[in-house]
Amino acid sequence: MNKTLTKLADGRELIYYDAGPGAVRDAVDARDLEPVASLAEIRRDPATGDWVTVAAHRQGRTYHPPADQCPLCPTRAGRLSEIPDAGYDVVVFENRFPSLGAELPGADADGPAAGDVLRTAAPGTGRCEVVCFTPDHHSSFADLTPERAGLVLEAWTDRTAELSALPGVRQVYCFENRGAEIGVTLAHSHGQIYALPFVTPRTAKMARQAAAHRARTGRNLFEDVLAAELAGHAEAVAAGDRSADRVVLAGEHWTAFVPFAARWPYEVHLFPNRRVADFTGLNAAERAEFPHLYLDLLGRFDRLFTEPGESTQASPTPYIAAWHQAPSPGDVPGGEDGGEDGLDEMALHLELFTIRRTAGKLKYLAGVESGMDAFVNDVSPEAAARRLREVAP
């Protein structure tokens, strides 16, 4: 991998990741841009302890531009974009409309009311980056070659290492939102990386469960979950009856399965078989196998709702691909107890899910789900796993 750092016209950092060593990246951003100003703030909900980011400055961000004005395509004659070069392999750059960024002028660590536990706030420091997987405006991640998907993995790894070392960053979150139904405002295939100043609510919840599991059993929760799925898979294969088997793909180094208590109609978790905290812990063999399994999995998602012979481009499956990584140790914003036991038990894994429940129908969050965070799944996890095995390439 060859890595080239440069600056955009407004001072934001842009990084080219090239598969080979020969690429020359000396194009200059010729746009006239004002410096990015992020006025984000994080506030703690006193009823739940969760952090909420307030980023009102993002209301003016780019929204569904026509294809000939896409800011993620390479720069062409007469069309300047976020990527100054005429082509690229993988590119990462600071978001022009970040949810997190520079400190609020005059803000302090205790927020607007020091000592007031009902109004704990802190500057929304951190960093938001965009990851462009391909220069082709009409391609998706599933269309990448294994080599290009492996390069994306290298970019995720590099950014995780660098961002987690920044002062005040607690958690690095790599993710991809795909499809207008998800809320994506740029059609060009891309993902994002958030360097967060707090531990996310879902991670904190999982960490508490992992700590409780360790106290009860002396073992790691995520290792036990994966071992149980693999044991069930082995028994099902031996018996010749996979009706209750939730494993979708089983490689030598990675396993993809539908979780026992899946929240979404089609939800798959992808784990390395050896527990690691984050991308930086993966070894060469795990990195080599990952692209093949991940591309296979994304291809299956695209075939979930298509008829035999129908193109997956006609109605591509909307999805969220969320990478969970162990947070970094650090102080809690506002100086409060974060209840962060179990963070060292966390395991790198992907949670991939779609909001489509069947062809032409979306899974909208009902009142019990949006209001109470109590999910009701329309598809049994075992049926979802069977369907994902059926749509193998």
Side-chain angles (χ1 to χ4, degrees):
M1 180 190 75
N2 187 58
K3 176 181 174 182
T4 306
L5 281 72
T6 186
K7 294 285 186 180
L8 296 174
D10 52 12
R12 288 176 294 135
E13 188 174 53
L14 180 143
I15 309 168
Y16 293 99
Y17 293 91
D18 290 292
V24 177
R25 302 297 185 184
D26 54 5
V28 176
D29 185 3
R31 296 174 297 172
D32 183 16
L33 300 177
E34 294 291 329
V36 172
S38 173
L39 301 178
E41 181 182 36
I42 59 172
R43 300 182 179 186
R44 185 189 285 277
D45 181 346
T48 64
D50 295 344
W51 287 101
V52 176
T53 301
V54 180
H57 61 283
R58 300 188 71 236
Q59 283 282 31
R61 63 188 182 274
T62 306
Y63 186 80
H64 291 300
D68 62 356
Q69 298 177 30
C70 174
L72 306 185
C73 287
T75 287
R76 296 284 189 269
R79 185 188 69 186
L80 304 178
S81 76
E82 289 280 64
I83 296 94
D85 213 302
Y88 61 85
D89 287 351
V90 174
V91 166
V92 176
F93 61 87
E94 289 184 80
N95 199 322
R96 189 177 174 188
F97 304 96
S99 299
L100 298 162
E103 291 191 7
L104 284 171
D108 58 53
D110 293 320
D116 185 348
V117 296
L118 300 181
R119 293 189 296 158
T120 300
T125 55
R127 180 156 158 147
C128 296
E129 298 182 339
V130 177
V131 185
C132 295
F133 308 133
T134 170
D136 185 348
H137 183 80
H138 301 288
S139 290
S140 69
F141 201 119
D143 296 322
L144 301 183
T145 64
E147 293 74 22
R148 180 64 59 84
L151 185 60
V152 174
L153 174 59
E154 292 304 312
W156 285 336
T157 303
D158 180 72
R159 301 315 301 147
T160 295
E162 292 207 0
L163 294 175
S164 61
L166 293 178
V169 169
R170 294 298 315 280
Q171 186 169 357
V172 177
Y173 172 45
C174 304
F175 64 100
E176 180 192 0
N177 297 337
R178 193 262 196 125
E181 301 93 329
I182 293 291
V184 173
T185 57
L186 296 176
H188 194 117
S189 180
H190 71 287
Q192 299 183 64
I193 304 175
Y194 277 25
L196 297 148
F198 55 84
V199 176
T200 62
R202 183 159 173 79
T203 300
K205 193 173 185 177
M206 287 192 290
R208 288 193 294 270
Q209 286 295 105
H213 186 81
R214 174 69 71 178
R216 286 193 306 269
T217 69
R219 299 188 302 271
N220 178 267
L221 171 63
F222 300 99
E223 291 175 350
D224 279 3
V225 166
L226 179 57
E229 295 295 344
L230 287 172
H233 170 65
E235 292 171 4
V237 170
D241 178 9
R242 299 191 65 185
S243 60
D245 183 6
R246 289 182 296 274
V247 170
V248 177
L249 284 167
E252 182 180 354
H253 303 286
W254 294 81
T255 300
F257 61 91
V258 178
F260 174 75
R263 297 174 302 160
W264 299 93
Y266 292 94
E267 174 181 349
V268 175
H269 293 188
L270 177 64
F271 277 76
N273 293 342
R274 180 181 65 93
R275 181 168 66 96
V276 297
D278 56 33
F279 285 122
T280 66
L282 294 173
N283 62 32
E286 291 157 348
R287 293 178 184 281
E289 184 180 73
F290 166 78
H292 303 278
L293 265 70
Y294 190 43
L295 292 173
D296 186 343
L297 194 57
L298 292 181
R300 292 174 191 239
F301 262 62
D302 267 348
R303 290 187 293 274
L304 271 174
F305 308 107
T306 58
E307 297 295 330
E310 181 183 0
S311 171
T312 58
Q313 299 299 321
S315 181
T317 300
Y319 64 74
I320 292 176
W323 282 101
H324 292 262
Q325 305 194 81
S328 304
D331 296 328
V332 177
E336 292 190 8
D337 178 11
E340 297 178 346
D341 290 342
L343 294 181
D344 57 346
E345 298 281 344
M346 295 299 296
L348 170 72
H349 68 281
L350 171 76
E351 295 186 4
L352 173 69
F353 59 91
T354 177
I355 61 169
R356 189 174 288 171
R357 58 186 174 89
T358 188
K361 295 180 181 179
L362 298 181
K363 160 65 177 177
Y364 293 102
L365 292 187
V368 69
E369 294 162 323
S370 294
M372 299 302 291
D373 199 21
F375 275 69
V376 179
N377 196 341
D378 304 305
V379 178
S380 78
E382 292 74 21
R386 286 197 299 274
R387 176 60 180 156
L388 283 161
R389 290 195 296 269
E390 291 170 356
V391 293

